[in-house]
Amino acid sequence: YLSQSKYGKYGNSSYSGVNKEVYINNNNRYITGCSAGAPSSSSTSSCTNTYNVSPGGTGASTSGTIYGVYDMNGGTYEHVMGVYNQSILQSGFNSSYPFPESKYYDNYTSDSATTACNSGVCYGHALSETAGWYLDTAYFATSSNSWFYRGGNNNSAQTGVFDSSASGGDAGKSRSFRIVLLE
């Protein structure tokens, strides 16, 4: 959300129109801090713009400056601790490595954003309230794809800060994780 506030890229007067969206990291070798210099672009093995080049590189940060958070759009899919009905699938949780305390993850008992979020249970999770922003993908976790991931991959116009998709929770070179601070 911060990227869309007066303190984020949306409030940065160096950008206008579609360029208010955080630029994509379209590097297919998963190098952090790369930028296509635009909100969407085809995947590439090079780093078109680096994090310290303004405005093409810094446009990939949440503030549009060198000081923002990078790789929120594209790069790798980032798993977050949101799960449908505590379904383990390929997450690695098992009897030896059980789920953490419930305060460390969001458990959704409906596989529909409309049902789960209309009750207010996920307000502020950037699921239903941001669905469709910048045409980012807005999929909800289900029994067959129970783990949420965010940010999208490195070659799609449908990826972005507000992308939400789901998978079985499996690891791979195209997947990382996103840390969220709790108050």
Side-chain angles (χ1 to χ4, degrees):
Y1 287 121
L2 190 57
S3 70
Q4 294 302 293
S5 75
K6 67 180 182 177
Y7 305 105
K9 190 171 182 193
Y10 192 80
N12 187 328
S13 61
S14 298
Y15 301 93
S16 62
V18 297
N19 291 315
K20 293 283 187 182
E21 181 178 5
V22 173
Y23 292 170
I24 191 171
N25 177 345
N26 63 332
N27 183 280
N28 60 20
R29 294 185 301 166
Y30 311 110
I31 297 173
T32 189
C34 291
S35 170
S40 66
S41 182
S42 299
S43 178
T44 181
S45 61
S46 66
C47 191
T48 309
N49 295 282
T50 56
Y51 73 94
N52 58 346
V53 174
S54 183
T58 56
S61 83
T62 53
S63 64
T65 69
I66 196 169
Y67 304 106
V69 179
Y70 287 83
D71 302 330
M72 297 296 282
N73 179 0
T76 65
Y77 295 108
E78 298 170 325
H79 282 282
V80 296
M81 288 300 287
V83 62
Y84 169 73
N85 216 23
Q86 292 185 321
S87 178
I88 292 172
L89 297 181
Q90 296 90 25
S91 67
F93 291 113
N94 56 43
S95 58
S96 298
Y97 299 101
F99 270 89
E101 290 180 54
S102 61
K103 68 181 179 179
Y104 295 114
Y105 65 93
D106 294 311
N107 186 47
Y108 302 95
T109 55
S110 172
D111 61 1
S112 159
T114 304
T115 304
C117 298
N118 279 347
S119 65
V121 73
C122 58
Y123 182 74
H125 296 196
L127 294 169
S128 61
E129 67 270 32
T130 60
W133 286 15
Y134 296 114
L135 302 177
D136 290 357
T137 301
Y139 294 123
F140 208 78
T142 64
S143 59
S144 59
N145 288 302
S146 61
W147 289 92
F148 276 103
Y149 60 83
R150 307 303 293 258
N153 64 9
N154 54 32
N155 64 352
S156 173
Q158 296 171 326
T159 66
V161 172
F162 301 105
D163 171 282
S164 67
S165 298
S167 77
D170 51 321
K173 73 177 185 177
S174 66
R175 296 193 173 96
S176 62
F177 58 92
R178 187 177 291 186
I179 295 174
V180 178
L181 301 176
L182 303 172
E183 47 174 289

